Structure formats: C-alpha cells, structure tokens
Amino acid sequence: MQNLVNILDKNGLIFAFLVVGGIMYISFLFGKKVTKNKIPAAAIAISFGLVIAYFGKGEKGIASIPAFSGMALLGGSMLRDFSIVSTAMGASFSEIKKAGLAGVISIVLGIVIAFFVGGVIAYFMGFTDAKSLTTIGAGACTFIVGPVTGAAVGATSEVIAISIAIGVIKSVFVTIATPIIANKIQLNNPHTAMIYGGMLSTTSGVSAGLAATDMKLVPYGALTATFSTGMGCLLCPSILYYIVQQFI
Amino acid sequence: MKIYGVAILAACYLVGQFIGDWFGRIFEMSGNLGGVGFAMILLILLNDYLNKKKLLVPETEQGILFWSSMYIPVIVAMSATQNVKAALTGGWVALIVAITATSVCFLLIPFIAKINRINN
C-alpha cells in the first residue's frame, strides 16, 4: 500500500490525468442517465470537482492529500490558461461580423452587466476588497473568467472557489431556463442566438440551452459565447478591476 | 506535425502573458492584466490569417484542438483543488449572484436584438 502511494506521489500529474478522466466519465454517465442530458456534463464534472475539493483537508482542496498533489499542477494557472487560450480556435472575426453591431454590443454588455451586478451584490453581502469583488463579478460572467481573473489579481482560493461556483450555477441556470423562455425572448433565429450567446457568455450553458431549444442555433450562440468569454478574460482583470479599485 | 500547433499556441500564450504583465506594470497594479484575453485575440487573428493563406494544415490544427478539448478536464482539476470548505460559508452569495446577474442578462436580450434591426 505504501508502495502504491509512493508511486502515485512521484507521478502526480499522470495520476491526475487518470483521476480527472474518471471524474469526466462518471459525470457524462450521470448526465446521460440521471439528468437525461438536460444539464451540461461540463457543469456536472466541475461540481463534482468542487465536491471532491471539500474532502481535502486544507486550502488546496484534494491536492492537500499527497497522492493527489498532481491535481494542483493539472489545474494550476499555467495549464489552465494555456488550454483556455486554445478554445479561441472555435472563434473567427469574419464570422463575428455576421452578428453585426448588436452582436458586438452583446459581447461587451454581457460581460459588463454580469460583472457589475455580481460585484454589487457581493458588496452588499459583505465583501469589501477590490480583489474579491472583481473575482466574484468575473465569476458572474463564466466559471472560466472567474478563476482567470482571481489568479490575475491575486484573490484568495476561497473567493476563487465562490467564483467557480457562481459560474457553474449560471451555466446550469442558463441551460434549464433557455428552452422555457426561448419564445418570450424570440430566440428562434441565428441573429438572436448570437446575441443570446454574447449576453450570457457561458459557452457550456449556451450550447446546452440552445441544443434543448433548437439544435440548429448551437453554433451561432457558441461562437459569440466563446468571444464573450475571451472578452471577459481581457476586461475583468484589467479595465473592470481598475474601475472597481477607484470605487473601493 | 502536431507540435507546430502546440508551438503556435505557446507563442500566443507567452506573448499574451507578456502584454498582460506589461499593462500590469504600466497601471501599477499587481498581477497580469488580461493576458489570457490578449492571447485569445492573437490566436483568433493568427488562425484567420493562416487560414486565408491556407498555411494551417489539419495536423497542425490538431495540436491546438487537443488542448481546447482538455480545457474542461483542466477546469475540473482546478475546481478540485480550491478551498471549498471556506467558500461554503459564502454559498448564498454564489446562488444569489448567479441567478440575479444571469436573469438581468436574459431580460436584455430582446432589446439588444431590436437595436440591430432598427439600424438595418
């Protein structure tokens, strides 16, 4: 047994691949069988990750257990930012032109509104430092923008965990709410789908929500949502953080 | 070769980090200002450019796409290594922020969709 722990300890990153692969598999299975694909598997897997973190002893979640130390490397800021940058491959400026002015407005507005609504609520719920407010506001954009911003401005792990949780709840909420209110917001054409993706930013929630509404609209919403996520990673830790600092 | 794609991605990432760091120092703020966002814009521009010139072979693209398929697993690993116990005390914040911020964005969609139609 000690031998096994030693091997896992020495090969932390490789063991982390195995662990995360297992989590993904269970989450996809759970998503398919229990929620009938109604909740994005990505949101289930991330929630699963947060639950596992709870069983770790200290600040570093599951990585505080030596055998799982590789999880901190796989989920560390270097590999995280690297893989997030790669998702920009799904976006193209020539495509975004089709969304027109309203598309561009939605991409910027989706970030700014979510950021400030999130920040203001956090302020009234007792968070008073600029780093935490910025990170929570960024979490209200997506579960990617939150931790990217949190790491950039130097927020605590606790606040980063809250920002991930906000992003995950948003993703699930968007998924469930989209088919219900699609008619009310006239979400039945590519143009509105692009604006919807830009406003809500969460690529996983937008894709799953559109899939449940009308499969044909998925690529339109996913495109602007990807742009919006990139915009969030750009604006939140820079201009928006700067603005928050002026107020606090 | 796939490594070409990974190398392109690495170049965009590093230049983005450099720009973000540079902005951080200009504005005298701690940390990296928007490095990930700059890197994403660079990659989009480079991807558009290489596609136009037909320089991006599928094999190269695969090197980048591999990493974009790894992003959810990486986020899962990141979630699993956060201080969730401490964050749970703020559980209500997460729920209220998420629902309120998202609802406001939902409500604005029809109005923004209209802006464009008037312009056209």
Side-chain angles (χ1 to χ4, degrees), chain A residues 8 17 25 43 49 56 70 82 90 93 100 107 112 118 141 147 153 171 197 199:
Chain A
L8 297 182
F17 287 141
Y25 180 71
F82 190 63
F93 281 120
I107 287 170
V112 173
C141 300
V153 303
S171 167
M199 280 306 289

Side-chain angles (χ1 to χ4, degrees), chain B residues 90-111:
Chain B
W92 282 107
V93 179
L95 197 66
I96 295 170
V97 166
I99 303 288
T100 317
T102 311
S103 302
V104 173
C105 290
F106 257 124
L107 289 174
L108 286 171
I109 293 170
F111 297 101

Side-chain angles (χ1 to χ4, degrees), chain A residues 6-247:
Chain A
N6 279 344
I7 290 173
L8 297 182
D9 201 3
K10 262 188 209 153
N11 300 287
L13 181 61
I14 307 296
F15 182 51
F17 287 141
L18 179 65
V19 172
V20 175
I23 294 174
M24 295 302 294
Y25 180 71
I26 295 169
S27 304
F28 271 91
L29 220 58
F30 183 87
K32 209 169 145 191
K33 301 262 151 102
V34 181
T35 75
K36 303 224 160 27
N37 288 330
K38 287 220 169 72
I39 292 173
I44 297 173
I46 295 165
S47 312
F48 199 152
L50 289 171
V51 171
I52 290 178
Y54 183 79
F55 293 102
K57 275 167 244 148
E59 279 239 334
K60 289 188 292 177
I62 193 81
S64 42
I65 301 167
F68 292 95
S69 60
M71 294 289 277
L73 184 56
L74 182 59
S77 65
M78 181 172 68
L79 284 176
R80 182 199 58 212
D81 292 354
F82 190 63
S83 60
I84 288 170
V85 170
S86 72
T87 61
M89 277 298 274
S92 135
F93 281 120
S94 44
E95 287 288 325
I96 201 70
K97 276 183 198 148
K98 289 178 197 158
L101 177 68
V104 178
I105 291 176
S106 73
I107 287 170
V108 178
L109 216 57
I111 294 299
V112 173
I113 288 178
F115 181 88
F116 283 110
V117 172
V120 167
I121 295 172
Y123 182 80
F124 284 111
M125 292 188 79
F127 292 85
T128 48
D129 63 304
K131 286 175 186 175
S132 302
L133 291 174
T134 304
T135 306
I136 290 175
C141 300
T142 79
F143 55 70
I144 292 173
V145 181
V148 165
T149 304
V153 303
T156 62
S157 173
E158 174 196 342
V159 171
I160 293 178
I162 293 176
S163 81
I164 299 171
I166 294 171
V168 169
I169 296 170
K170 177 173 182 172
S171 167
V172 173
F173 180 58
V174 166
T175 308
I176 297 171
T178 301
I180 299 172
I181 63 161
N183 270 334
K184 284 201 183 101
I185 58 170
Q186 289 130 34
L187 184 59
N188 51 19
N189 57 77
H191 177 73
T192 311
M194 280 181 142
I195 285 153
Y196 156 86
M199 280 306 289
L200 293 168
S201 321
T202 165
T203 313
S204 60
V206 161
S207 308
L210 285 177
T213 310
D214 182 355
M215 215 47 204
K216 287 194 293 288
L217 298 176
V218 174
Y220 299 99
L223 174 78
T224 41
T226 305
F227 260 103
S228 192
T229 301
M231 186 62 80
C233 293
L234 186 65
L235 296 183
C236 291
S238 57
I239 302 169
L240 296 178
Y241 177 44
Y242 184 77
I243 294 173
V244 171
Q245 278 187 324
Q246 305 311 306
F247 278 107

